[in-house]
């Protein structure tokens, strides 16, 4: 779809790859696009923590949402030494105070279309996720999930 939009726009205005995001790489798209928003969450969190003299390593994270943004954020946070202790998606939520094995959770989620039934922690009520004790809470679910 994005390639088509680029093509249609370019017919009238000349080749303009900046007109739309999500294009294939061979049409001017970006490498690493899938991880970009999750990586942005990591960078923003690093900047916030740095203002308080802290870093990602050693911090405990709770992530609401395990789609593209949340799963990449969880993976990158874990690689940076952070500990994801609770996470949810539309199918359920899981908590492990020792840290969730994100690679294992990603495999489980892909095979089961969600995190429900993951055996790497305790199932918890997804509505309680926002009140789990942590150092950093990352709301990465779909828009409108957090409301009054």
């Amino acid at each position: 779809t994005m390639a088509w939009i680029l093509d249609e726009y370019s017919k009238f205005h000349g080749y303009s790859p900046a007109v739309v995001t999500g294009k294939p790489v061979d049409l001017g798209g970006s490498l690493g696009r899938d991880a970009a928003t999750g990586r942005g969450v990591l960078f923003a969190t690093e900047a916030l923590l740095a203002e308080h003299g802290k870093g990602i390593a050693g911090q405990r994270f709770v992530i609401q949402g395990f789609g593209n943004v949340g799963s990449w954020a969880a993976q990158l946070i874990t690689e940076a030494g952070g500990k994801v202790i609770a996470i949810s998606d539309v199918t359920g939520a899981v908590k492990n105070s020792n840290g969730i094995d994100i690679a294992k959770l990603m495999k489980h989620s892909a095979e089961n279309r969600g995190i429900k039934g993951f055996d790497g922690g305790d199932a918890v009520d997804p509505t309680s996720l926002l009140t789990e004790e942590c150092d950093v809470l990352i709301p990465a679910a779909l828009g409108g999930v957090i409301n009054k």
Side-chain angles (χ1 to χ4, degrees):
T1 302
M2 296 303 139
W4 175 79
I5 292 171
L6 170 62
D7 183 57
E8 289 300 306
Y9 185 88
S10 296
K11 285 179 187 177
F12 300 101
H13 303 282
Y15 180 66
S16 304
V19 74
V20 67
T21 63
K23 302 172 297 297
V25 173
D26 58 339
L27 292 178
S30 299
L31 292 171
R33 183 178 185 285
D34 287 346
T37 309
R39 192 172 304 282
V41 168
L42 174 71
F43 292 161
T45 304
E46 285 175 325
L48 174 68
L49 289 171
E51 289 181 13
H52 298 278
K54 299 177 181 178
I56 296 290
Q59 302 300 313
R60 297 170 307 127
F61 292 82
V62 169
I63 302 176
Q64 181 195 35
F66 199 63
N68 181 267
V69 177
S71 64
W72 274 106
Q75 183 177 345
L76 296 167
I77 285 166
T78 300
E79 289 172 6
K83 185 188 299 186
V84 178
I85 59 166
I87 198 157
S88 69
D89 72 2
V90 69
T91 68
V94 64
K95 176 182 177 182
N96 183 334
S97 58
N98 294 318
I100 296 169
D101 182 333
I102 299 302
K104 187 176 173 185
L105 180 60
M106 289 182 76
K107 183 175 190 260
H108 172 89
S109 181
E111 291 172 354
N112 297 280
R113 296 183 175 215
I115 66 174
K116 184 177 183 178
F118 179 64
D119 64 2
D122 298 319
V124 294
D125 180 357
T127 61
S128 72
L129 199 78
L130 297 177
T131 60
E132 288 293 335
E133 182 154 339
C134 62
D135 299 309
V136 180
L137 169 67
I138 297 175
L142 294 173
V145 172
I146 297 176
N147 54 49
K148 58 181 173 175

